[in-house]
Amino acid sequence: MMNIILLGPPGCGKGTQGEILAERTGIVRVSTGDLLRDAAGKGTPLGKKAKSYMDQGLLVPDEVIVGLLREVLASARAAKGVIMDGFPRTVAQAEAVDTLLTERQRRVDQVLFFDVPDEELLRRITGRAAAEGRSDDNPESFRQRLVAYRQQTQPLVDFYRRRGILVEIEAVGSIPEIAARVQARVGM
Ligand code: AMP
C-alpha cells in the first residue's frame, strides 16, 4: 500500500514518469487532468464547468476537484494505493487528500517533486502541443499554467518538505534516466 503524489510544474514529465512507475509497481495512476479532459470530451456538467478554466490555463475551483477526489480515493481501484498525478494542486486540496486518506487509515507516503528549469519547460510544452494537439498547450495558456503553478501549487513543496516526505527528482535528461532516478528514490 503506497500513496504517492507527483508534484511539479506543467511539462515537468510527471505524467510520463507516473505511467512508468504505475506499470512497474502495479499501483494505479490517477490524473485529474485526464479525468477532467474525459468529462469535457463527454460534455458532462462537470466537464462543461471545467473546460473553460482548463482552456485558459487556470485551475478548476477546489470545490469541483474535492468532489472528484472523494470519488477517486473511495474507488475500488485505489484500494492498493494510488499514484496521484496532477493533484493536489492547492493547499486546500492537499488538506482534503489528508482528510480523505485518514478516513481510510491511510496517508500520503511519498511526494516526488520533479524539478525542471523554466526554459526547458517551455521547450517541452511547445513540442507536446504539436504532438498531442492539447487545447491548453499553446504559449499563452502555458504561461498562465506556470503562473497558476507558482502561485497555487508551489507552496505544496514546502508543505510536504516540512513533513519530511518530499523526494526531489532532478527531472532533466532522457525519460529512462529520469525513470531510473525515480526508481532509486522510491525504493520499489
Ligand atoms: P494536467 O493534465 O494535470 O496538466 O491538467 C490540465 C488542466 O486541468 C489544468 O491546467 C487545470 O485547468 C485542470 N486541473 C487538473 N488537475 C487539477 C487540479 N488538481 N486542480 C485544479 N485544476 C486541475
Side-chain angles (χ1 to χ4, degrees):
M1 160 74 74
M2 277 282 265
N3 293 292
I4 300 173
I5 291 172
L6 309 181
L7 187 62
C12 70
K14 61 186 159 41
T16 304
Q17 294 299 330
E19 282 172 12
I20 295 171
L21 185 62
E23 187 140 326
R24 206 183 57 240
T25 59
I27 303 172
V28 67
R29 162 184 169 265
V30 176
S31 151
T32 41
D34 287 350
L35 293 174
L36 294 170
R37 274 186 291 278
D38 188 53
K42 289 184 178 140
T44 66
L46 169 77
K48 283 185 187 152
K49 183 150 191 207
K51 191 173 183 342
S52 61
Y53 293 98
M54 295 171 78
D55 285 347
Q56 293 176 75
L58 300 173
L59 292 190
V60 175
D62 282 334
E63 60 272 20
V64 176
I65 299 291
V66 171
L68 196 60
L69 299 190
R70 184 168 288 117
E71 268 175 50
V72 164
L73 295 175
S75 67
R77 68 194 186 116
K80 292 200 184 107
V82 56
I83 296 168
M84 302 176 223
D85 178 358
F87 71 96
R89 259 183 159 95
T90 64
V91 171
Q93 290 180 24
E95 287 167 348
V97 166
D98 283 338
T99 305
L100 292 166
L101 289 179
T102 305
E103 281 170 7
R104 308 189 139 66
Q105 280 84 49
R106 291 158 52 178
R107 63 191 160 95
V108 177
D109 296 289
Q110 277 190 327
V111 179
L112 304 182
F113 170 49
F114 292 82
D115 210 0
V116 181
D118 281 5
E119 337 52 274
E120 169 72 11
L121 291 177
L122 191 55
R123 204 177 58 73
R124 288 185 194 180
I125 211 87
T126 324
R128 187 167 76 185
E132 293 179 12
R134 268 178 59 163
S135 57
D136 61 352
D137 271 355
N138 56 71
E140 299 87 282
S141 67
F142 175 76
R143 235 184 308 280
Q144 183 51 56
R145 285 159 65 204
L146 202 54
V147 169
Y149 171 77
R150 298 269 178 254
Q151 292 180 345
Q152 293 168 275
T153 309
Q154 194 158 276
L156 296 182
V157 173
D158 274 337
F159 180 91
Y160 290 118
R161 186 181 280 132
R162 277 197 297 272
R163 203 182 279 184
I165 57 172
L166 193 81
V167 175
E168 294 187 49
I169 308 284
E170 194 211 332
V172 180
S174 71
I175 291 172
E177 278 165 1
I178 300 168
R181 281 178 214 143
V182 170
Q183 182 163 7
R185 301 298 301 278
V186 172
M188 68 184 286

